[in-house]
């Protein structure tokens, strides 16, 4: 009876090891570098938008030159601080540190890959954690920060142009149109209202 028990335990351990191998292989397939770069780019846009939105809209900064014109005036303009060059440069310089708080996951409902912030920017547990299953990463998610740093380094000028103005769908503009990191991004569809349809 002892031999049978050892055989059963051995089979269970072997099956568990095979399942773990398949799970790791499956995770690597859905979290390839192309997918991760797209997800990181979209999260980067969210992080920058959050940093802009948390600034008091009444806060202004004076920009322009200190040179005097021939008539003794200066070309100075007062602009909202949130989208000023100085603030955006500070945000872009520090935004990738936030990716230390991200992890790879799959949506429970669809199985679609995503990356999710473990805690909210305020420090609370992310309420969306219940919607996903975490996917372990051998690199402890250091790739996410690495990809963010690469995007920021390569696209800093584009990021500054996009976020200096308040444009709709900055994720599509940056991650789709300007970088090509996300192939399937499209603007959200407006819901069609059948009640207003005339026959």
């Amino acid at each position: 009876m002892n031999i049978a028990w050892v055989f059963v335990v051995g089979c269970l351990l072997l099956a568990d090891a095979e399942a773990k191998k398949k799970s790791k292989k499956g995770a690597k397939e859905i979290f390839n570098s192309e997918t991760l770069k797209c997800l990181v780019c979209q999260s980067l846009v969210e992080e920058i938008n959050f940093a802009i939105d948390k600034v008091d809209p009444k806060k202004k900064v004076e920009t322009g030159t200190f040179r005097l014109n021939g008539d003794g005036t200066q070309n100075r303009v007062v602009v909202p601080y949130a989208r000023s060059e100085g603030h955006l440069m500070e945000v872009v310089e520090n935004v990738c540190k936030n990716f230390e708080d991200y992890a790879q996951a799959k949506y429970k409902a669809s199985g679609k890959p995503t990356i999710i912030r473990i805690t909210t920017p305020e420090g609370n547990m992310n309420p969306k954690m219940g919607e996903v299953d975490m996917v372990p990463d051998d690199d402890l998610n250091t790739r996410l920060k690495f990809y963010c740093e690469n995007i920021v380094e390569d696209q800093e000028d584009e990021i500054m142009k996009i976020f200096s103005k308040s444009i709709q769908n900055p994720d599509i503009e940056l991650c789709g149109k300007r970088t090509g990191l996300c192939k399937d991004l499209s603007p959200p569809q407006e819901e069609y209202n059948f009640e207003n349809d005339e026959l």
Side-chain angles (χ1 to χ4, degrees), residues 12-28 136 138:
L12 288 174
L13 289 174
L14 186 61
D16 186 50
E18 286 297 315
K20 285 181 181 176
K21 276 186 191 177
K22 286 181 183 178
S23 145
K24 280 186 178 181
K25 185 179 179 187
K28 285 182 180 178
D138 294 337

Side-chain angles (χ1 to χ4, degrees), residues 58-64 76-87:
K58 295 176 186 169
K59 189 174 182 179
K60 306 285 183 191
V61 66
E62 200 172 327
T63 64
R76 307 286 289 163
V77 180
V78 176
V79 296
Y81 175 73
R83 294 192 183 273
S84 69
E85 184 176 343
H87 180 247

Side-chain angles (χ1 to χ4, degrees), residues 131-179:
E131 300 172 16
V132 298
D133 289 323
M134 303 306 284
V135 177
D137 181 20
D138 294 337
D139 298 326
L140 298 173
N141 298 310
T142 55
R143 289 187 299 169
L144 303 179
K145 184 177 177 184
F146 174 76
Y147 287 142
C148 176
E149 290 168 346
N150 284 341
I151 293 168
V152 166
E153 185 177 322
D154 293 344
Q155 302 298 325
E156 186 172 0
D157 292 339
E158 295 299 321
I159 292 170
M160 297 297 284
K161 287 177 192 172
I162 291 168
F163 289 97
S164 65
K165 304 175 211 107
S166 181
I167 63 169
Q168 281 191 327
N169 305 315
D171 56 336
I172 294 171
E173 188 66 32
L174 178 65
C175 305
K177 293 179 182 175
R178 299 199 187 188
T179 63

